[in-house]
Amino acid sequence: MTLSGLVPVLATPFTPDGGLDLPGLRRLTEFQLAAGADGVALFGMASEGFALTAADREVILAAVRETVAGAVPVVAGVAATSTVTALEQARAAADGGADALMVLPPFMVRPSAAQLVDFYGTVAGAGCEVMVQDAPGATGVTMPESLIVELSKLDGVTSVKVEAPPTAPKTGAVVRGVDPAFAVFGGQNALFCLEEYAAGAIGTMPACEFTDLLAPVLAGWAAGRRADAHAAFGRLLPLIRFGMQPGLAWAVHKEVLVRRGLIASAAVRSPARDLDAATLAGLDEVLAALDLPEAP
């Protein structure tokens, strides 16, 4: 199994009282497949993974696996803060049928480079391919290009998601240092995905509310229509940017999904917070300018 292409990170739909909305999750997953996603990811930053219990994770993974039915890879996020708890999450995801793991480094106690090598080597023993998630903005853990190259040589570590800005130069540096079979992805809601692709990335992992609009942009890029791709991507930038606000991003993703008829409620779990009236008005302006269609 080799990951590549557009792999959206699914939001986790909740009912207004905070329970899991499984019908909404299934609709959301079906939308990704119809929109041209090359995979789906769970329990990432955009999924409110920090607010999901172990029981939630098991139920969500089972529902998505059933909906996908083997059509595309399913990536499960691992964000525990120690080796033993990360291994527990990794084994549970592997047992639940995940095809790959997107693994944050432990961050409550800042690990040394040697500890990170041991950490990723251990988690890769859970039975799934491992993607290193290089996200210092969220974790405070920095991973220089040389360390990512070292991690890429570990058995079972097959990809990296570069989210350390400026992402395009780092993407290029990593691509030059790793084996060509090692997959380099971009993140950060696809904010610099075209520059990352130009630097050698083979995929991107944004939030999931605009998959149908981003997929043709990336297809045009792959076909060599780069000017057209940049122009089409430019139309998406206000929405992408709006969905990157700390503390509000999860509610933004969900509000857009509600407007598109994919989920019934924009409810989030604390400490994420609902959008205030001014932010909702700003989102209204972004969506009106984009003329975002209702999802099929």
Side-chain angles (χ1 to χ4, degrees):
M1 191 278 304
T2 301
L3 287 173
S4 64
L6 177 54
V7 183
V9 181
L10 297 183
T12 304
F14 298 129
T15 59
D17 63 0
L20 293 179
D21 173 13
L22 293 180
L25 178 64
R26 293 188 179 97
R27 284 194 302 273
L28 184 55
T29 305
E30 290 167 352
F31 168 70
Q32 306 308 313
L33 300 178
D38 299 297
V40 293
L42 315 173
F43 319 138
M45 299 291 189
S47 309
E48 290 174 79
F50 55 85
L52 300 176
T53 67
D56 289 337
R57 290 168 64 96
E58 181 179 0
V59 171
I60 291 166
L61 179 55
V64 172
R65 286 293 307 171
E66 181 181 10
T67 305
V68 167
V72 297
V74 175
V75 182
V78 172
T81 54
S82 72
T83 302
V84 65
T85 52
L87 187 57
E88 179 183 60
Q89 284 191 4
R91 285 173 173 159
D95 291 345
D99 297 298
L101 307 172
M102 178 174 65
V103 183
L104 283 172
F107 52 87
M108 289 296 291
V109 177
R110 300 290 187 268
S112 67
Q115 286 176 314
L116 283 172
V117 173
D118 289 342
F119 170 80
Y120 279 104
T122 298
V123 175
C128 279
E129 295 187 19
V130 163
M131 168 185 286
V132 175
Q133 189 171 3
D134 173 28
T139 65
V141 177
T142 58
M143 290 191 252
E145 293 91 335
S146 58
L147 176 57
I148 295 174
V149 171
E150 186 175 356
L151 295 175
S152 76
K153 299 173 183 176
L154 296 172
D155 288 343
V157 177
T158 59
S159 59
V160 65
K161 181 183 179 186
V162 175
E163 300 191 275
T167 56
K170 187 166 188 178
T171 294
V174 171
V175 167
R176 290 189 294 272
V178 298
D179 186 278
F182 187 80
V184 180
F185 276 75
Q188 288 205 321
N189 210 23
L191 181 62
F192 287 98
C193 66
L194 297 184
E195 291 81 3
E196 291 158 2
Y197 270 58
I202 64 166
T204 189
M205 301 180 72
C208 66
E209 66 268 27
F210 53 88
T211 304
D212 57 332
L213 305 181
L214 183 57
V217 173
L218 299 179
W221 177 273
R225 300 189 299 273
R226 296 197 170 188
D228 291 343
H230 275 291
F233 184 77
R235 293 187 65 244
L236 279 175
L237 269 176
L239 178 59
I240 290 171
R241 180 183 63 85
F242 209 90
M244 296 183 70
Q245 299 179 76
L248 300 177
W250 303 282
V252 171
H253 302 322
K254 288 183 173 180
E255 185 64 32
V256 177
L257 291 170
V258 169
R259 305 284 184 92
R260 304 199 70 189
L262 287 163
I263 63 175
S265 170
V268 294
R269 286 180 178 174
S270 181
R273 57 185 184 268
D274 297 331
L275 302 183
D276 59 27
T279 305
L280 280 170
L283 181 59
D284 287 340
E285 293 181 2
V286 168
L287 296 180
L290 186 56
D291 192 22
L292 193 67
E294 186 167 322

